[in-house]
């Protein structure tokens, strides 16, 4: 599992503005392997649909995964015929590798992919990418398992798909409904941060990306789709399922050990650019309170059990100190991971040391309460001791949360996006594909509105200066 540091915090989502020039708004990638029969029909159909319905400039990129048939030649002919089509050749197989390569090099602000069989109805494409263009969402997926979806496929594939998604929900707590539908989109600024963390290069790539995005707090939009199974699909179901289960285990282990820096992907407060100037805004206060209360309730039960056990062979003050010490270490570790979302081992010793200081304050409160009880009654019964300790622990709990939030685990302000060069447009020579290792740009990308003369017009468009087709 990759543990690379992320390039920076995610910027606030903004509606991409329309403008008269700039790179394509949408880059649709079609990863293929030995698809010489279906590729031309697929690309022509997709190109016609986008030309007719999509209101901004677009690009279709064919990503050839080391095909050994005539697929690269078909892709090259399509790229020569259609200005909006581009062909990329990879010498290694892997759908995830193809998507990573093309998405990392693309200058389009919205990146998508679909399978070459076009099993998904193309009418869902605009609803898929619209929330990303508007700035509402970070990723978007087509879902065959939504109630309003209409799906035609065999019982075997239906069973495997639903079982796989149940496994994801049970093991990785995934909340999205359909991880395997080959119909997804992502904003380029989000891909910039997530792609370095995704390890898989095959069919598990997009599932891993979705899980990490969800854990990082990204917003995932789901679109119900109409989907017809391709009976000639070359996907090896058993092998793919086995690799997917291995991926689930690997990602689950990485999330459990905190080896992924997902806590670094914090957004600024709110999506309004003016919110970036706000200071001292509480970050996730409601969620932290819920987590702290759950951990606190379990810690209190743990403390009372320890106190009752220690009280069998020692005095009340010693039993209280020992029970508080053990439960405080467990409480700090649980709040560090579950309440405040701190992952990894960095700073763990310092956090525990600060937690022990907080423990000392709690010990003073509870010990003082016991001392006051013993001063009031020479031989208080066990139930009275427990009642006094519960009341003292409630007061100590409130103080503990405030100290944890303000001192032990303070909210770090989100890092400002690093300035970078603007989009380079056409890219490098010899094929025009942008350099995949160029610096990403955080500048707002200008979109290109369509003002065509209509399908039946014989002359040029009435506004050729702003026609995106003339620019592509």
């Amino acid at each position: 599992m990759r543990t690379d540091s992320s390039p920076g915090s995610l910027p606030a989502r903004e509606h991409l503005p329309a403008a008269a020039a700039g790179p394509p708004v949408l880059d649709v990638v079609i990863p293929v392997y030995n698809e010489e029969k279906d590729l031309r029909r697929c690309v022509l159909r997709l190109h016609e649909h986008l030309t007719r319905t999509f209101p901004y400039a677009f690009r279709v990129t064919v990503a050839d995964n080391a095909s050994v048939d005539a697929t690269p030649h078909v892709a090259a002919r399509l790229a020569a015929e259609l200005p909006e089509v581009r062909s990329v050749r990879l010498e290694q197989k892997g759908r995830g590798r193809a998507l990573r390569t093309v998405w990392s090099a693309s200058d389009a602000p919205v990146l998508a992919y679909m399978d070459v069989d076009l099993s998904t109805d193309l009418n869902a494409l605009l609803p898929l990418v619209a929330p990303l263009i508007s700035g509402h969402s970070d990723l978007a997926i087509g879902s065959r398992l939504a109630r309003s979806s209409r799906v035609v496929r065999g019982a075997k594939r239906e069973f495997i798909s639903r079982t796989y998604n149940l496994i994801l929900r049970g093991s990785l707590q995934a909340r999205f409904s359909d991880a395997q539908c080959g119909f997804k989109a992502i904003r380029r600024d989000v891909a910039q941060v997530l792609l370095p963390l995704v390890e898989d290069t095959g069919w598990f790539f997009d599932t891993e990306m979705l899980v990490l995005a969800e854990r990082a707090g990204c917003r995932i939009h789901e679109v119900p789709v109409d989907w017809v199974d391709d009976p000639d699909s070359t996907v090896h179901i058993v092998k793919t399922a086995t690799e997917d289960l291995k991926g689930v285990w690997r990602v689950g282990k990485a999330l459990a050990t905190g080896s992924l820096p997902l806590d670094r992907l914090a957004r600024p407060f709110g999506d309004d650019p003016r919110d970036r100037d706000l200071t001292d805004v509480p970050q996730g206060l409601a969620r932290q309170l819920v987590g702290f209360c759950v951990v606190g309730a379990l810690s209190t039960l743990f403390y009372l059990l320890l106190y009752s056990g220690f009280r069998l062979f020692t005095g009340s003050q010693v039993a209280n100190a020992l029970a508080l010490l053990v439960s405080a270490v467990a409480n700090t570790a649980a709040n560090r991971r579950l309440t405040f979302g701190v992952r990894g081992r960095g700073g763990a010793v310092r956090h525990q040391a600060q937690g022990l200081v907080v423990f000392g304050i709690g010990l003073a409160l509870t010990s003082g309460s016991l001392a006051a009880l013993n001063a009031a009654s020479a031989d208080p019964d066990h139930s009275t001791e427990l009642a006094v300790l519960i009341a003292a622990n409630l007061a100590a709990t409130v103080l503990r949360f405030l100290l944890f939030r303000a001192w032990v685990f303070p909210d770090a302000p989100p890092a400002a996006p690093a300035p970078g060069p603007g989009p380079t447009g056409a890219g490098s020579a010899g094929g025009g594909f942008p350099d995949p290792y160029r610096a990403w740009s955080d500048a707002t990308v200008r979109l290109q509105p369509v003002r065509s003369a209509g399908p039946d017009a014989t002359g040029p468009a009435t506004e050729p200066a702003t026609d995106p087709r003339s620019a592509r």
Side-chain angles (χ1 to χ4, degrees):
M1 173 61 64
R2 288 184 170 87
T3 57
D4 319 37
S5 297
S6 62
S9 299
L10 290 174
R13 290 185 295 264
E14 295 180 355
H15 193 301
L16 301 173
V25 175
L26 174 65
D27 193 348
V28 183
V29 182
I30 304 176
V32 293
Y33 174 73
N34 291 348
E35 296 287 356
E36 60 181 2
K37 294 182 180 180
D38 298 328
L39 179 57
R40 183 175 182 82
R41 174 184 58 83
C42 164
V43 172
L44 291 177
R45 181 182 166 194
L46 175 60
H47 181 271
E48 186 277 333
H49 178 84
L50 287 170
T51 302
R52 178 169 48 86
T53 66
F54 193 66
Y56 298 108
F58 66 86
R59 177 192 300 136
V60 177
T61 302
V62 179
D64 174 31
N65 293 128
S67 295
V68 295
D69 63 357
T71 297
H73 302 291
V74 175
R77 285 197 299 268
L78 287 166
E81 295 173 14
L82 302 171
E84 296 85 5
V85 176
R86 186 168 294 181
S87 174
V88 179
R89 168 75 176 182
L90 287 84
E91 298 303 329
Q92 292 178 288
K93 291 180 62 177
R95 182 180 68 171
R97 179 178 287 107
L99 294 177
R100 183 200 310 278
T101 301
V102 178
W103 282 356
S104 296
S106 180
D107 56 352
V110 177
L111 312 168
Y113 94 89
M114 62 179 59
D115 293 333
V116 70
D117 55 19
L118 294 184
S119 296
T120 304
D121 183 11
L122 291 178
N123 286 328
L125 182 55
L126 185 55
L128 183 80
V129 301
L132 308 188
I133 294 175
S134 71
H136 174 271
S137 300
D138 301 298
L139 298 90
I141 65 174
S143 175
R144 299 162 297 183
L145 302 181
R147 290 187 176 182
S148 56
S149 298
R150 296 182 296 180
V151 177
V152 178
R153 62 176 167 180
K156 180 180 180 181
R157 285 181 176 269
E158 180 76 12
F159 173 78
I160 292 175
S161 178
R162 291 187 178 274
T163 301
Y164 178 65
N165 283 283
L166 285 175
I167 291 173
L168 290 180
R169 288 176 175 269
S171 59
L172 300 179
Q173 287 78 52
R175 295 189 296 273
F176 48 85
S177 65
D178 191 352
Q180 293 177 308
C181 183
F183 195 69
K184 296 181 175 70
I186 185 172
R187 285 178 64 104
R188 183 170 66 97
D189 52 5
V190 180
Q192 167 195 354
V193 179
L194 281 180
L195 291 183
L197 304 179
V198 180
E199 180 175 336
D200 192 80
T201 59
W203 291 96
F204 188 69
F205 170 86
D206 40 355
T207 299
E208 183 173 355
M209 180 182 68
L210 286 173
V211 171
L212 299 186
E214 190 174 70
R215 289 299 186 96
C218 295
R219 182 177 293 162
I220 301 176
H221 177 72
E222 296 198 20
V223 178
V225 297
D226 297 340
W227 194 86
V228 179
D229 190 14
D230 178 15
D232 300 323
S233 175
T234 58
V235 178
H236 194 292
I237 297 179
V238 176
K239 181 180 179 181
T240 302
T242 302
E243 293 300 320
D244 285 348
L245 292 177
K246 291 180 180 178
V248 170
W249 170 260
R250 174 176 52 79
V251 172
K253 181 180 179 181
L255 292 173
T257 57
S259 61
L260 288 166
L262 299 181
D263 55 308
R264 302 178 187 177
L265 308 187
R267 285 190 179 280
F269 173 75
D271 288 338
D272 190 317
R274 293 170 296 180
D275 291 342
R276 303 179 200 177
D277 299 328
L278 297 179
T279 57
D280 300 326
V281 177
Q283 303 289 321
L285 177 60
R287 183 191 61 78
Q288 290 178 357
L289 277 173
V290 172
F292 186 82
C293 289
V294 172
V295 172
L298 295 176
S299 297
T300 300
L301 291 175
F302 184 47
Y303 161 78
L304 292 175
L305 290 174
L306 289 174
Y307 176 82
S308 299
F310 291 141
R311 191 66 175 85
L312 295 176
F313 54 86
T314 188
S316 60
Q317 293 286 7
V318 176
N320 174 58
L322 291 175
L324 267 180
L325 177 62
V326 176
S327 61
V329 172
N331 181 276
T332 300
N335 276 309
R336 180 179 189 270
R337 176 67 178 85
L338 301 177
T339 303
F340 298 96
V342 180
R343 299 173 176 86
R345 299 179 180 178
V349 175
R350 175 175 58 83
H351 293 153
Q352 282 292 349
Q354 292 173 310
L356 289 177
V357 174
V358 178
F359 149 75
I361 297 175
L363 177 62
L365 284 174
T366 53
S367 296
S369 300
L370 282 176
L373 176 63
N374 290 328
S377 176
D379 188 20
D381 57 32
H382 186 61
S383 60
T384 304
E385 283 185 352
L386 290 180
V388 170
L389 287 174
I390 290 174
N393 267 288
L394 287 176
T397 298
V398 175
L399 182 59
R400 186 184 305 122
F401 177 75
L402 296 176
L403 289 174
F404 272 3
R405 182 175 172 80
W407 180 48
V408 184
F409 307 108
D411 287 324
T424 57
S428 59
F433 200 71
D435 180 6
Y437 301 105
R438 67 175 175 81
W440 288 81
S441 171
D442 289 326
T444 300
V445 181
R446 296 178 178 274
L447 301 196
Q448 196 168 346
V450 170
R451 295 183 179 88
S452 60
D456 298 325
T458 57
T462 57
E463 297 182 67
T466 57
D467 183 4
R469 309 302 178 205
S470 63
R472 289 201 299 267

